[in-house]
């Protein structure tokens, strides 16, 4: 999976503020590892990270690597900069993960071309730096 160095950006994107359930997820993202919780009982993938499986209510899970491949389910082009570091217009894509049909993950879009429905995409890591040091965000890009 690609890593794009965005540390030279004049205005960095906002740093994530992990909470109890998402801290292990962001730790993996910062290590450029694309892993999700997978239920130990029913094998459903979970996103966003949480304590209990939404399918079988199990509290048991394992962090498992994914391919990072998905298809474009939907997208939005923002013409208003809601947060610093997001120059308008910018696109956010909802990617339907190849590993599980009912699991979609939003991320910014890394391409000059517009996304198309059902397009094959791949997750990429964006390495950022702010006053508190380095951090990583995710983005979708065409395969
Ligand atoms: Zn389960």
């Amino acid at each position: 999976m690609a890593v794009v160095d965005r540390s030279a950006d004049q205005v960095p994107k906002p740093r994530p503020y992990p909470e109890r359930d998402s801290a292990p997820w962001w730790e993996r993202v910062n290590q450029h590892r694309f892993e999700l919780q997978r239920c130990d009982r029913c094998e459903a993938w979970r996103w966003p990270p949480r304590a209990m499986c939404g399918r079988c209510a199990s509290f048991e899970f394992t962090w498992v690597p994914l391919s990072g491949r998905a298809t474009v389910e939907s997208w939005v082009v923002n013409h208003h900069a809601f947060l610093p570091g997001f120059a308008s217009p910018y696109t956010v894509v909802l990617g339907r993960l190849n590993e599980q049909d009912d699991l979609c993950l939003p991320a910014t879009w890394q391409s000059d071309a517009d996304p198309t429905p059902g397009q094959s995409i791949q997750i990429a890591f964006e390495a950022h730096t702010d006053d508190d040091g380095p951090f990583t965000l995710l983005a979708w890009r065409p395969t």
Side-chain angles (χ1 to χ4, degrees):
M1 289 171 228
V3 179
V4 178
D5 184 3
R6 302 291 302 264
S7 59
D9 286 1
Q10 291 288 326
V11 180
K13 289 182 177 168
R15 165 184 293 275
Y17 286 97
E19 40 70 63
R20 182 196 64 191
D21 291 333
S22 69
W25 155 258
W26 287 113
E27 183 178 316
R28 284 166 170 76
V29 170
N30 280 327
Q31 296 167 353
H32 305 157
R33 293 161 52 195
F34 189 64
E35 300 178 358
L36 291 183
Q37 294 173 322
R38 191 164 198 195
C39 179
D40 289 345
R41 184 190 297 167
C42 74
E43 299 188 331
W45 299 91
R46 298 185 206 172
W47 197 89
R50 55 185 171 267
M52 188 173 75
C53 176
R55 284 192 183 169
C56 76
S58 171
F59 287 93
E60 304 302 317
F61 65 88
T62 304
W63 289 94
V64 179
L66 293 94
S67 67
R69 294 184 176 275
T71 54
V72 171
E73 176 63 22
S74 186
W75 69 93
V76 62
V77 179
N78 294 287
H79 292 276
H80 177 80
F82 294 99
L83 295 165
F86 288 88
S88 174
Y90 67 94
T91 302
V92 175
V93 166
L94 190 62
R96 184 174 296 281
L97 299 180
N98 284 9
E99 280 82 357
Q100 184 169 301
D101 195 49
D102 65 353
L103 202 57
C104 294
L105 191 147
T108 54
W109 180 240
Q110 270 187 1
S111 175
D112 292 331
D114 291 337
T116 58
Q119 179 180 4
S120 292
I121 54 177
Q122 172 76 45
I123 205 72
F125 299 99
E126 282 188 349
H128 294 267
T129 300
D130 65 9
D131 293 342
D132 295 327
F135 63 96
T136 303
L137 299 174
L138 294 174
W140 290 116
R141 63 186 346 190
T143 54

